[in-house]
Amino acid sequence: MKALIILSIFATLAMIYFQYSRNKNLKKLFIALVTFAIIISLAVVGSLNRHVMPLFIAHVILLITAWSGLIIYMIKDRYYGWIIFSPVVTIVLFLLLEAVAGSGNEGILPHS
């Protein structure tokens, strides 16, 4: 699974480079690289959702959808920002859940 993730990262970077070398569109290159960095950072931040498995599965599905939104931008020049930033919903939902319900680990350690 890790190899598949790394291969998809390299394939996306190769696709971005191929599109740039073919079109020489610097604006599209910067937008694609910034979007790629945002998607990767959302994936890293979303790993804190791992404790709530249904929310984490939804986050992974939204990350795959965001990644496909980047691919659509590279192919069709249509930028769907609401698709690309959709994993933010699960992160905000997790933070709200933690604020309301707590972590559930508050009474484990003795107070000293």
Side-chain angles (χ1 to χ4, degrees), residues 42-43 49 59 62-63 66 82-92:
L42 285 175
N49 288 348
H59 183 73
L62 288 176
L63 276 175
W82 63 275
I83 291 176
I84 292 172
F85 295 108
S86 63
V88 172
V89 172
T90 58
I91 294 170
V92 169

Side-chain angles (χ1 to χ4, degrees), residues 5-61:
I5 293 171
I6 292 172
L7 283 175
S8 62
I9 289 172
F10 285 140
T12 305
L13 287 174
M15 183 179 187
I16 291 171
Y17 175 74
F18 176 71
Q19 288 286 339
Y20 173 70
S21 65
R22 195 174 75 176
N23 297 337
K24 300 294 185 200
N25 189 351
L26 198 58
K27 180 181 175 183
K28 186 175 179 179
L29 172 73
F30 284 135
I31 291 173
L33 286 176
V34 167
T35 303
F36 180 72
I38 288 171
I39 291 172
I40 294 295
S41 64
L42 285 175
V44 171
V45 170
S47 66
L48 62 97
N49 288 348
R50 195 168 291 224
H51 300 291
V52 183
M53 195 50 69
L55 199 58
F56 182 69
I57 291 171
H59 183 73
V60 170
I61 291 170

Side-chain angles (χ1 to χ4, degrees), residues 60-86:
V60 170
I61 291 170
L62 288 176
L63 276 175
I64 292 169
T65 307
W67 208 295
S68 63
L70 175 64
I71 301 300
I72 288 172
Y73 172 67
M74 293 304 300
I75 294 172
K76 295 185 177 183
D77 290 336
R78 298 188 72 180
Y79 193 81
Y80 294 108
W82 63 275
I83 291 176
I84 292 172
F85 295 108
S86 63

